[in-house]
Amino acid sequence: MQDKLQFFINQTSFTERPSAPLAPFQYQELIKALNFHRSIPGYAPTPLYSLPALSQKLGIKSLCLKDESQRFGLKAFKVLGGAYAMACHIADILGKDISELPFDVMTSDETRKALKEVTFATTTDGNHGRGVAWMARQLKQKSVVYMPKGSSAERLAAIRGEGATAEIVDMNYDDAVRMTAEQAEKYGWVVVQDTAWEGYEKIPLWIMQGYGSLMLEALDQIHQVCPTHVFVQAGVGSFAGMVQGMLTATYGENRPKVIVAEALIADCLYRSAVSKKGEAIAVGGDLQTVMAGLACGEANSIGWDLLRDYATGFASCPDFVATHGMRILGNPLPGDPHIISGESGAVTTGLLSILMQSPAMAETRKQLGLDQNSRVLVISTEGDTDPQRYLDIVWDGEIPSFNKY
């Protein structure tokens, strides 16, 4: 298998005649999620850092990083989507709008009596499942979590620590999703998955809207000064699709250029874009990558349509791109903040660094308009959610990064 970074500039007939709906990602929809999140005890906007020394080294005007390692003490952004979708599901059962059910009302004895018992089920590589388990515990409900083979024992323990029934199964992520859906139908559980498929779109859309709180915070923190480029990572593409949908709905033709970063071994969006056929292409196999949170081979149909129509570029990233980013952020230049970013969180920083410094990427830089006038936003979607793996990479040099590009 090749181990080189591959990049696709998205200039297809779908970008010329976009059709993906933007209404679900307008401000008036996403603010509902942010208002709900604000009602949860312990909510606080995660930090947005400026990295002036790194931006100077890379030859861009500015670089800002949204640090999700501090989200509700869970070290990852994923809880935003799962929690909001679970809340919307409860509101739906009770025949209410989510705006009528802030967290204290949703967890009241009166609401729980009307609701009765709910079991939420999901498949996860770690962060999403922990968020679902955490929210289920907050709601005093049950959760069942399945993890694909190769998942971290530390991440499994963290999910069980939130009160979930959880196990690692002998199948890849996408097969585990199908198995979870079958089990949920058998036992009457509610599936909370950000992978959308025919007949299962409502909860994935709620999850995507829940992720929108992150971007609303970020735009407020940069004082509504629109970045020129946003680098976003993708597994099934729910988060990346939300970012693209929100920015397009907000800024239209003046939106930032969105660059999507995927793990090479699970680059379903990249392959789908390269095909230029408009249909999502699945990637099979074991999907073993250091970027555990991105090890998903089948795209969310809602997210894919948005990215197909509006994204500027797609990158298929070998593991060294992520470890390169982890080391950059964990060993900052003088004056820049020290940021603990996990494997899936740091791939966007690693990709930006390679794009700006590799002679082989000069033409791609030019096509993307990345230069001394660029204002770049990256999102570190997780901290050290597997602390030992983080140390193995940043301290002990697992998966060399520098000489690969």
Side-chain angles (χ1 to χ4, degrees):
M1 174 177 289
Q2 62 83 28
D3 64 350
K4 292 184 179 179
L5 172 65
Q6 297 184 94
F7 205 95
F8 177 73
I9 303 293
N10 192 24
Q11 296 173 331
T12 68
S13 60
F14 301 99
T15 62
E16 295 168 2
R17 294 181 294 277
S19 60
L22 298 173
F25 305 100
Q26 293 177 343
Y27 176 84
Q28 59 264 35
E29 293 299 324
L30 301 186
I31 193 62
K32 293 180 183 179
L34 181 56
N35 286 337
F36 176 75
H37 291 137
R38 285 170 170 166
S39 75
I40 300 175
Y43 166 81
T46 53
L48 186 134
Y49 296 115
S50 175
L51 291 85
L54 181 57
S55 62
Q56 183 176 11
K57 181 173 179 59
L58 298 181
I60 57 178
K61 184 173 184 178
S62 66
L63 174 60
C64 291
L65 180 145
K66 181 72 166 160
D67 179 12
E68 287 297 300
S69 70
Q70 301 180 49
R71 183 68 70 181
F72 286 119
L74 299 174
K75 295 186 177 182
F77 83 106
K78 281 284 191 176
V79 65
L80 292 172
Y84 184 63
M86 293 158 76
C88 285
H89 175 77
I90 290 173
D92 213 27
I93 291 174
L94 299 175
K96 296 180 179 292
D97 187 82
I98 187 63
S99 61
E100 302 176 72
L101 287 172
F103 185 82
D104 59 345
V105 176
M106 186 166 290
T107 55
S108 67
D109 291 341
E110 181 181 353
T111 299
R112 291 182 61 231
K113 184 177 179 180
L115 183 65
K116 300 181 181 177
E117 187 174 275
V118 179
T119 297
F120 296 100
T122 193
T123 299
T124 184
D125 294 299
N127 297 337
H128 171 69
R130 188 179 179 191
V132 168
W134 179 86
M135 187 60 177
R137 181 165 60 83
Q138 308 302 310
L139 296 171
K140 300 179 177 63
Q141 303 293 347
K142 296 181 178 179
S143 60
V144 178
V145 179
Y146 295 109
M147 303 182 72
K149 60 183 174 182
S151 294
S152 160
E154 289 198 37
R155 291 188 173 113
L156 174 63
I159 290 169
R160 287 175 171 168
E162 300 293 347
T165 299
E167 63 176 295
I168 298 173
V169 297
D170 189 25
M171 55 188 74
N172 72 17
Y173 175 85
D174 301 294
D175 289 338
V177 168
R178 281 183 278 273
M179 184 271 293
T180 301
E182 291 168 0
Q183 292 291 97
E185 185 173 1
K186 180 178 179 180
Y187 294 111
W189 302 337
V190 178
V191 177
V192 184
Q193 208 69 54
D194 64 356
T195 304
W197 57 84
E198 187 175 351
Y200 183 74
E201 290 97 6
K202 183 183 285 188
I203 285 178
L205 180 57
W206 284 335
I207 289 175
M208 293 174 72
Q209 290 174 327
Y211 294 155
S213 292
L214 183 162
M215 286 300 292
L216 290 179
E217 290 176 3
L219 292 178
D220 183 63
Q221 289 165 322
I222 58 177
H223 309 294
Q224 305 301 320
V225 177
C226 183
T228 60
H229 300 75
V230 177
F231 283 66
V232 60
Q233 45 277 86
V236 299
S238 296
F239 175 58
M242 177 283 297
V243 171
Q244 184 66 76
M246 178 201 180
L247 292 174
T248 307
T250 302
Y251 296 106
E253 292 296 320
N254 297 318
R255 65 184 180 272
K257 294 176 180 177
V258 172
I259 292 92
V260 181
E262 288 180 281
L264 178 150
I265 203 71
D267 57 355
C268 55
L269 298 168
Y270 170 84
R271 296 191 200 189
S272 301
V274 169
S275 78
K276 301 182 182 180
K277 296 178 180 179
E279 300 298 322
I281 295 174
V283 176
D286 287 346
L287 307 180
Q288 295 302 303
T289 168
V290 73
M291 292 169 271
L294 309 185
C296 313
E298 297 180 21
N300 174 333
S301 56
I302 304 170
W304 160 242
D305 287 351
L306 289 161
L307 296 169
R308 176 200 64 197
D309 289 1
Y310 300 110
T312 297
F314 296 82
S316 174
C317 300
D319 283 352
F320 69 79
V321 179
T323 58
H324 181 56
M326 293 169 72
R327 293 178 180 119
I328 289 172
L329 296 172
N331 301 274
L333 295 168
D336 281 357
H338 170 247
I339 297 167
I340 296 177
S341 183
E343 303 87 65
S344 299
V347 64
T348 47
T349 298
L351 174 60
L352 175 64
S353 172
I354 294 170
L355 279 172
M356 297 309 300
Q357 297 185 94
S358 170
M361 303 303 292
E363 182 58 29
T364 303
R365 279 198 300 276
K366 183 177 179 181
Q367 289 178 293
L368 291 173
L370 280 166
D371 55 30
Q372 69 276 10
N373 296 312
S374 299
R375 300 183 304 277
V376 180
L377 172 66
V378 299
I379 298 103
S380 176
T381 51
E382 66 172 359
D384 56 341
T385 52
D386 186 340
Q388 187 56 52
R389 193 67 188 275
Y390 179 85
L391 294 179
D392 290 343
I393 293 168
V394 177
W395 281 15
D396 298 331
E398 182 182 335
I399 310 177
S401 59
F402 187 75
N403 62 356
K404 292 284 188 174
Y405 59 87

